[in-house]
Amino acid sequence: MADEDNVRFTEREALFFHSTGRPGKIEIIASKPMATQRDLSLAYSPGVAVPVLAIAKNPADAYEYTAKGNLVAVITNGTAILGLGNLGALASKPVMEGKAVLFKRFADVDSIDIELDTEDPDKFIEAVALMEPSFGGINLEDIKAPECFIIEQALKERLKIPVMHDDQHGTAIISAAGLLNACFLTGREFSTVKVVVNGAGAAAIACTALIKAMGVRHENVLMCDRKGVIYRGRDGIDQFKSAHAVDTDRRTLEEALVGADIFLGLSAKDALKPEMIEKMAPQPIIFAMANPDPEITPPDAKRVRPDCIVATGRSDYPNQVNNVLGFPFIFRGALDVRATAINDHMKIAAARAIAELAREQVPEEVAAAYGGKSMQFGHDYIIPAPFDPRLMEVVSSAVAKGAMDSGVAQKPIADFDAYRHSLKSRLNPTTSVLTHVYAQAKLNPKRVVFAEAENEIVLRAAIQFRSGGYGEPLLVGRDQVVRAKLVELGIEKPDSYEIHNAAISPHVPAMVSMLYERLKRRGFMERDVRRMVNQDRNVFASALVKLGHADAMITGLTRPFAQSMREIRRVLDPAPDQVPFGIHLMIGKNYTVFLADTTINERPTASELAHIARGTAEVAKRLGHEPRVAFLSYSTFGNPSGRWLESIRDAVAILDANPPGFEYEGEMAPDAALNPLVMANYPFSRLSAPANVLVMPGLQSANLSAKLLRELAGNATIGPMLIGMEKPVQIAAMTSNASDVLTLAVLAAAGVAV
């Protein structure tokens, strides 16, 4: 089922998202260097002839010398796009690009979308079959029934690579996992449960077929379509529906549900009436998976049957049936063993792995994403959260083993422990953990001041902050200007946004009183303070936070960091026993590095360096990393010698005297901290692997490094993150885009950057 968050956005915002920068959501990036003539000669002519001849001699070598083994085609004809219907192949392209992005995001599977302009199943089958040499797997998507059954079956018979229609089998696998756990909790067995399936489309038929393959008895399943129960002898049903016809005298959904243990809905909004579930068996299991609105909402179901277990396709209710729990990891496991198919054995293995994962103790980062609630296996937690970091390892491994056990794996895995470790390291954990931070912010929304709301970039971020459900933005600016810009950006109700104009705000007298008490012995008269509050957006915004009218603030796009910091410090103090400092996150494909202090302390003392190390390590832990700290220098353990090394050595000694619980080492040059080959020259180093927290010796080197890396790495940089203030405050770089501002605002709201 789609991940429906009830997130509101304008059509203009959606179009802007898909069109800004490079149009679309995917691009092709070379995985080999292309800098020199020799590189080009190896990549193309004449060097490319060598692998060509090798593959011609042994076709299996294509997996060794090309991207085939990690490349999945997402293919559709656009006849059943989401809940929008048959809008054609071209209109489906944004959805297929999105599916390709999910493959990459969740399982590091490279994917390309292909839209075929035909509704003829034979032409579709032939076109896909001819592309078999290009891909390691085929993900069929958004193809209407019954053609989807014909197409998938024909391609599975013809091709020797995995083929799966995700609309059918993805939903089937996740719902089967949830049903396993719901039956476990209610003391039921698949072999005895009575099931009513409402809906007879592709997903409903696939769900029914899978649970039957897992032990549900054919005669115990009643399937209903718009005309009622599909019974043996009924006229006008196709071969796919007739396969699930049974002998019964029940004719309506209401009759079918009498005494039923399970309702499996893949039909339409409000199809299941409260009075229908009154006659179901004790502790009924209700999977209302219509998209985007369920057959019955969990509150309505529980009002009638408090003993029920309910799952939907919605993320705003417990027990979300979400396909992203399945398809990325199913293809990951299938590709890794070069499976020739995705069969029932593999699908059942995936369903059982997902079910068993939900029964395990929930990781801290998943609990944090639910606002710190204690998430435990039970009636409201029968399906793992989509961002559970263990899914990659658990589901992919189960699918790979299922392929091996069923004889379709061409490259069996010898060491599953090593394989699981490789799966863990395949994805960058920062991306996953930031997802948790966003989820945590949504579950505990905060009031965040956007101090420069007349700036369009800031205003876009504020709109996204609110529409994403992270909290309420407080917009600082002139009322008419901000409202006019909101209208320009497509906001239908600009008056619904809370705007604070420093010139006329009723909070000004209290702000002036508070600030005058702070500054009267620093050369400021009361009139000076009033002018600051009225005219300086950072002072005014900080005062809103100081006086409790907001929880956090974001600024920085209209003036340099140092100036913004000076203005904020007139109102806000460092947190007790804290030294404020800044962190930049540098995110690579398989690593994340935390760089500090990049913004504030020009020549930190040994004590400050030790404090910065501890604080940065703590942020790294909050974002899911095991910190390994390197105190950087031009010198590595005294070579060469110099006059600026004592503070670094003393900082290490401070940590030695009070061990912090993480690895640290220094002084050392960047290559000795990051390059394993150089690290090997220092066997006495206390770092067990390359450092991921780099504490810089001074602001000049830190700030230069951060800005240089930002220009070179672009979107792979987050920051600066301001740490150590009494209230969550973030100062974005003047070159930030709306996404950067939103990220910092969410980090502030979630309490990560404090």
Side-chain angles (χ1 to χ4, degrees):
M1 311 302 323
D3 185 2
E4 292 290 337
D5 282 309
N6 278 348
V7 173
R8 300 192 180 280
F9 49 82
T10 65
E11 290 184 8
R12 178 174 173 176
E13 183 182 357
L15 293 174
F16 179 83
F17 174 85
H18 287 85
S19 65
T20 187
R22 184 190 297 267
K25 299 185 288 291
I26 61 175
E27 64 177 319
I28 302 297
I29 299 175
S31 61
K32 300 294 188 294
M34 296 290 162
T36 68
Q37 183 61 42
R38 180 177 178 80
D39 294 338
L40 298 177
S41 296
L42 286 168
Y44 194 54
S45 181
V48 75
V50 178
V52 167
L53 294 173
I55 294 168
K57 184 178 180 180
N58 179 19
D61 281 349
Y63 289 90
E64 302 295 335
Y65 303 128
T66 76
K68 177 181 172 73
N70 195 51
L71 188 61
V72 168
V74 179
I75 306 181
T76 189
N77 60 3
T79 53
I81 305 174
L82 299 176
L84 303 174
N86 185 352
L87 298 180
L90 186 59
S92 73
K93 191 171 180 65
V95 182
M96 299 306 109
E97 283 189 356
K99 192 67 177 285
V101 169
L102 294 179
F103 265 115
K104 189 65 177 177
R105 158 66 179 82
F106 284 98
D108 194 28
V109 172
D110 294 321
S111 181
I112 191 74
D113 64 293
I114 296 174
E115 294 76 32
L116 298 178
D117 191 13
T118 180
E119 295 188 20
D120 184 328
D122 292 332
K123 289 182 179 179
F124 190 101
I125 292 164
E126 191 63 25
V128 177
L130 291 172
M131 291 188 286
E132 180 179 14
S134 298
F135 300 103
I138 303 293
N139 182 104
L140 301 173
E141 194 81 15
D142 288 359
I143 304 169
K144 68 182 177 71
E147 288 88 339
C148 61
F149 304 119
I150 300 168
I151 289 169
E152 185 189 43
Q153 185 58 39
L155 289 173
K156 288 172 71 173
E157 292 173 359
R158 287 185 61 173
L159 305 187
K160 297 301 181 184
I161 58 175
V163 177
M164 187 175 85
H165 184 217
D166 186 50
D167 300 299
Q168 299 178 56
H169 306 297
T171 302
I173 290 164
I174 310 309
S175 61
L179 289 175
L180 282 172
N181 281 338
C183 287
F184 177 85
L185 287 168
T186 57
R188 293 177 166 100
E189 298 289 341
F190 264 25
S191 59
T192 58
V193 292
K194 295 181 179 180
V195 182
V196 174
V197 180
N198 194 48
I205 288 174
C207 288
T208 305
L210 185 61
I211 60 173
K212 287 181 178 179
M214 296 174 68
V216 175
R217 296 167 65 90
H218 171 77
E219 60 269 24
N220 285 351
V221 180
L222 295 180
M223 179 177 284
C224 303
D225 62 9
R226 290 185 180 88
K227 296 181 180 179
V229 175
I230 297 172
Y231 57 90
R232 196 163 288 166
R234 199 184 102 175
D235 295 332
I237 55 174
D238 60 34
Q239 65 189 50
F240 306 105
K241 293 182 182 181
S242 64
H244 299 286
V246 296
D247 290 320
T248 179
D249 59 359
R250 303 189 185 194
R251 294 295 182 263
T252 67
L253 173 62
E254 187 170 5
E255 292 173 357
L257 282 168
V258 176
D261 298 293
I262 296 171
F263 170 83
L264 201 59
L266 295 119
S267 51
K269 177 183 179 181
D270 298 332
L272 183 62
K273 305 300 181 185
E275 57 269 21
M276 293 182 181
I277 63 175
E278 289 180 335
K279 298 178 181 179
M280 291 182 70
Q283 294 185 282
I285 299 167
I286 300 169
F287 275 44
M289 299 180 288
N291 180 29
D293 297 303
E295 286 84 356
I296 191 169
T297 66
D300 287 344
K302 289 183 178 291
R303 198 171 294 118
V304 179
R305 294 296 300 269
D307 60 338
C308 68
I309 295 177
V310 189
T312 71
R314 296 267 293 263
S315 66
D316 50 350
Y317 295 125
N319 302 325
Q320 183 192 14
V321 179
N322 188 337
N323 282 15
V324 80
L325 288 163
F327 71 84
F329 316 113
I330 292 165
F331 273 95
R332 177 76 276 150
L335 292 172
D336 289 341
V337 294
R338 296 185 191 169
T340 57
I342 293 174
N343 55 31
D344 279 352
H345 200 96
M346 297 159 72
K347 289 183 282 185
I348 292 170
R352 294 194 183 281
I354 293 168
E356 290 168 7
L357 181 61
R359 300 181 196 182
E360 296 180 9
Q361 186 173 357
V362 179
E364 182 180 351
E365 57 265 40
V366 176
Y370 282 86
K373 295 179 182 178
S374 177
M375 302 302 300
Q376 295 181 345
F377 177 60
H379 283 53
D380 288 336
Y381 195 84
I382 59 173
I383 301 172
F387 41 79
D388 192 317
R390 302 169 297 177
L391 284 163
M392 174 75 149
E393 174 190 359
V394 171
V395 181
S396 302
S397 297
V399 171
K401 191 173 188 306
M404 292 165 57
D405 292 345
S406 59
V408 297
Q410 299 180 94
K411 185 186 176 184
I413 294 168
D415 185 343
F416 262 87
D417 288 338
Y419 176 56
R420 291 188 185 96
H421 181 75
S422 71
L423 290 170
K424 286 182 180 179
S425 61
R426 190 161 192 135
L427 289 178
N428 179 6
T430 295
T431 303
S432 177
V433 174
L434 282 181
T435 303
H436 305 159
V437 171
Y438 273 71
Q440 183 178 349
K442 289 177 68 172
L443 287 163
N444 189 19
K446 297 292 179 63
R447 290 166 60 82
V448 176
V449 180
F450 288 75
E452 302 159 310
E454 294 183 14
N455 179 286
E456 182 172 325
I457 292 173
V458 174
L459 202 53
R460 286 188 184 280
I463 292 168
Q464 293 172 24
F465 185 83
R466 185 200 222 188
S467 64
Y470 309 120
E472 185 64 27
L474 278 61
L475 308 179
V476 174
R478 292 167 292 176
D479 301 60
Q480 290 184 340
V481 174
V482 174
R483 287 197 181 94
K485 286 185 177 291
L486 285 169
V487 172
E488 288 178 14
L489 293 174
I491 299 302
E492 295 179 0
K493 297 180 179 179
D495 290 341
S496 67
Y497 280 79
E498 188 173 331
I499 302 173
H500 290 259
N501 186 340
I504 59 175
S505 171
H507 303 305
V508 167
M511 292 178 177
V512 172
S513 177
M514 175 270 295
L515 196 55
Y516 180 58
E517 284 300 311
R518 286 176 58 86
L519 301 179
K520 64 186 180 182
R521 295 183 181 276
R522 302 184 201 174
F524 290 90
M525 304 295 289
E526 187 172 1
R527 63 175 179 273
D528 302 322
V529 171
R530 182 175 298 278
R531 185 163 49 250
M532 270 194 289
V533 170
N534 287 147
Q535 298 180 4
D536 192 306
R537 66 197 65 168
N538 284 333
V539 170
F540 177 77
S542 301
L544 283 173
V545 178
K546 180 81 171 183
L547 294 176
H549 301 298
D551 302 299
M553 71 171 279
I554 178 78
T555 188
L557 267 74
T558 61
R559 58 196 69 183
F561 185 99
Q563 181 180 347
S564 295
M565 188 64 183
R566 283 196 304 271
E567 293 159 354
I568 291 167
R569 284 294 303 270
R570 286 174 175 166
V571 182
L572 298 174
D573 295 318
D577 302 320
Q578 295 292 310
V579 176
F581 64 94
I583 299 174
H584 276 78
L585 278 70
M586 306 299 170
I587 303 171
K589 181 179 179 182
N590 297 309
Y591 65 88
T592 294
V593 173
F594 298 78
L595 191 67
D597 166 25
T598 56
T599 55
I600 296 177
N601 299 285
E602 185 171 4
R603 178 64 67 177
T605 65
S607 176
E608 289 170 337
L609 286 171
H611 180 90
I612 290 166
R614 289 179 183 272
T616 309
E618 183 60 34
V619 171
K621 286 181 180 179
R622 290 177 197 154
L623 291 177
H625 297 263
E626 189 62 35
R628 294 182 299 277
V629 176
F631 289 89
L632 294 190
S633 170
Y634 61 86
S635 171
T636 301
F637 304 122
N639 184 21
S641 60
R643 53 185 294 206
W644 301 109
L645 304 179
E646 290 305 317
S647 60
I648 301 172
R649 293 171 180 169
D650 290 345
V652 174
I654 290 171
L655 296 185
D656 287 342
N658 187 12
F662 54 79
E663 294 180 14
Y664 59 93
E665 188 58 281
E667 77 280 4
M668 58 203 316
D671 55 352
L674 299 171
N675 188 327
L677 294 177
V678 179
M679 291 177 68
N681 295 322
Y682 305 97
F684 54 84
S685 173
R686 291 178 284 194
L687 296 182
S688 61
N692 55 10
V693 173
L694 305 179
V695 178
M696 305 294 283
L699 183 58
Q700 181 165 311
S701 58
N703 194 263
L704 285 171
S705 298
K707 289 181 177 178
L708 179 62
L709 288 169
R710 182 180 182 87
E711 291 303 312
L712 295 175
N715 292 336
T717 303
I718 295 175
M721 294 168 53
L722 178 58
I723 310 297
M725 295 296 291
E726 63 171 310
K727 300 286 186 179
V729 176
Q730 292 302 319
I731 304 174
M734 294 179 69
T735 55
S736 297
N737 57 33
S739 178
D740 298 330
V741 176
L742 176 63
T743 296
L744 288 175
V746 172
L747 286 167
V752 173
V754 293

